Amino acid sequence: MLTYLIVFIISMFPLVELRGAIPYGLTMGMSLAPTYIIAIIGNMLPVPFIYFFARKILEWGAEKPGIGGFFSWCLTKGEKGGQKLQAKAGRGLFVALLLFVGIPLPGTGAWTGTLAASLLDMDFKSSVLACMGGVLLAGVIMALASTGVLGAFGALAA
């Protein structure tokens, strides 16, 4: 039961998210389906809070001594991510956000994607649906990578 809780907590943690939670759960002996479901729920739980409050908190904290540097860094990262998405996507912002969240690369994920959507003033429903699709996609990719399926395809292609 503790492993389930740890997977849940890891998946809520920024930068790590389910990209770390799924491999951890599988390494600790959990089966794939519960690991995937718990990681998805944990990764999506912060999304509404990030959308509605992160921008305000980051703007408030950016001017505070001691924490201002970190808050400014987070705000800048979200703004840059949003600008890149907007520039590349144009009218296809929903799909761009889904792919940004879904392709498990450093600096992408639900936290950064939701912050970028908030900074771009994307509506809440579209933001959540794009992030959910991206989190589901990232979960599938991480499950395949963690179970060795992607490695097997690479070996067959070589």
Side-chain angles (χ1 to χ4, degrees):
M1 192 63 159
L2 180 61
T3 306
Y4 289 85
L5 180 61
I6 293 171
V7 166
F8 184 75
I9 291 169
I10 290 172
S11 66
M12 289 192 307
F13 205 79
L15 301 175
V16 180
E17 301 181 21
L18 63 65
R19 292 153 172 78
I22 289 176
Y24 174 82
L26 295 175
T27 300
M28 297 307 292
M30 289 177 61
S31 57
L32 182 57
T35 302
Y36 181 80
I37 292 167
I38 291 168
I40 296 293
I41 293 169
N43 203 177
M44 285 302 297
L45 187 65
V47 166
F49 300 101
I50 297 165
Y51 182 86
F52 288 115
F53 302 115
R55 181 181 192 170
K56 292 173 184 156
I57 292 169
L58 290 173
E59 288 172 350
W60 169 84
E63 298 179 15
K64 303 292 183 234
I67 60 171
F70 176 71
F71 280 59
S72 294
W73 176 82
C74 291
L75 198 55
T76 302
K77 182 153 181 60
E79 287 172 350
K80 284 183 181 177
Q83 290 168 357
K84 283 182 184 177
L85 277 174
Q86 188 73 50
K88 290 182 180 180
R91 295 179 63 178
L93 188 57
F94 178 89
V95 174
L97 181 60
L98 186 148
L99 293 174
F100 178 81
V101 172
I103 298 175
L105 296 171
T108 67
W111 279 77
T112 308
T114 305
L115 179 59
S118 170
L119 294 171
L120 289 170
D121 294 320
M122 196 172 167
D123 71 283
F124 177 71
K125 182 179 177 183
S126 296
S127 300
V128 170
L129 290 175
C131 282
M132 174 60 100
V135 167
L136 292 170
L137 175 61
V140 168
I141 292 169
M142 290 310 301
L144 292 173
S146 297
T147 56
V149 172
L150 293 180
F153 282 120
L156 290 174

